[in-house]
Amino acid sequence: EEVVKTDAAPDKDDKQQEGGAYNEEDLEEFLDTGHCARCDLTNLDFGMHGQIKDFIYPMDLSQVILTGANLTGEDLTEAHLLEANLTGANLTGANLTRAILQYANLTDADLTGANLQKANLYEANLTGANLTDAKMRRSDLTGTIFCRTIMPDGTINNSGC
């Protein structure tokens, strides 16, 4: 059997970094363009570097992996986070006004004081998420999964368990 080597770029699915760190190529793409669909930005601390503040909106971060990322206070107005993995992400005080979070995984995410007004959370997973003091007026919560979810008023919602 003959083995053929190519210089083809690896598929995004092959770019997962060892040890749960973000992918440098993905970060570079995001910093250059403000877009990075299907990127792996696991555990990246956005606030430490101020990376998001200068981008033209809306950002396309569809299917991005932001597991454990620190997005405290970031402006994600109208960001496209369709099918994004935000498990355990810190979104405290983040502005997600009109963000598209359809099918997003926000399990155990901290959204304390976040602005989710007019956000699209259609079938998003908010299991274990903290929404204390979050603004959610006119958000689309159709099919959203609530299980052990701390709601804006401090009550626990287990309707989707």
Side-chain angles (χ1 to χ4, degrees):
E1 185 175 336
E2 186 177 339
V3 176
V4 178
K5 291 186 178 184
T6 68
D7 291 329
D11 185 272
K12 289 237 188 234
D13 293 333
D14 298 330
K15 296 196 312 182
Q16 176 83 26
Q17 295 294 302
E18 293 180 26
Y22 59 87
N23 182 288
E24 293 286 344
E25 291 174 27
D26 287 347
L27 177 60
E28 205 171 300
E29 179 180 340
F30 177 68
L31 294 176
D32 287 347
T33 67
H35 303 289
C36 199
R38 297 186 65 216
C39 286
D40 183 354
L41 301 174
T42 301
N43 292 323
L44 184 63
D45 185 347
F46 286 87
M48 186 172 152
H49 306 290
Q51 285 121 338
I52 292 182
K53 294 175 179 51
D54 299 324
F55 292 120
I56 297 170
Y57 299 99
M59 288 179 279
D60 184 2
L61 295 168
S62 298
Q63 298 179 332
V64 70
I65 301 169
L66 287 163
T67 303
N70 182 4
L71 294 155
T72 301
E74 292 294 345
D75 188 354
L76 295 163
T77 301
E78 297 181 0
H80 294 208
L81 291 155
L82 178 73
E83 297 180 358
N85 185 346
L86 292 149
T87 301
N90 186 348
L91 292 149
T92 302
N95 186 356
L96 291 152
T97 303
R98 294 182 306 279
I100 298 170
L101 290 153
Q102 288 176 302
Y103 309 105
N105 186 351
L106 291 151
T107 300
D108 297 324
D110 189 351
L111 292 144
T112 301
N115 186 349
L116 290 156
Q117 294 183 94
K118 299 181 184 176
N120 184 339
L121 290 152
Y122 179 84
E123 293 196 17
N125 186 345
L126 289 168
T127 299
N130 185 348
L131 296 166
T132 302
D133 296 326
K135 296 170 188 73
M136 300 184 72
R137 190 172 64 89
R138 296 179 57 196
S139 295
D140 182 355
L141 301 174
T142 306
T144 300
I145 299 168
F146 296 104
C147 182
R148 300 182 322 280
T149 307
I150 302 171
M151 299 305 288
D153 63 1
T155 60
I156 306 294
N157 187 337
N158 286 314
S159 64
C161 292

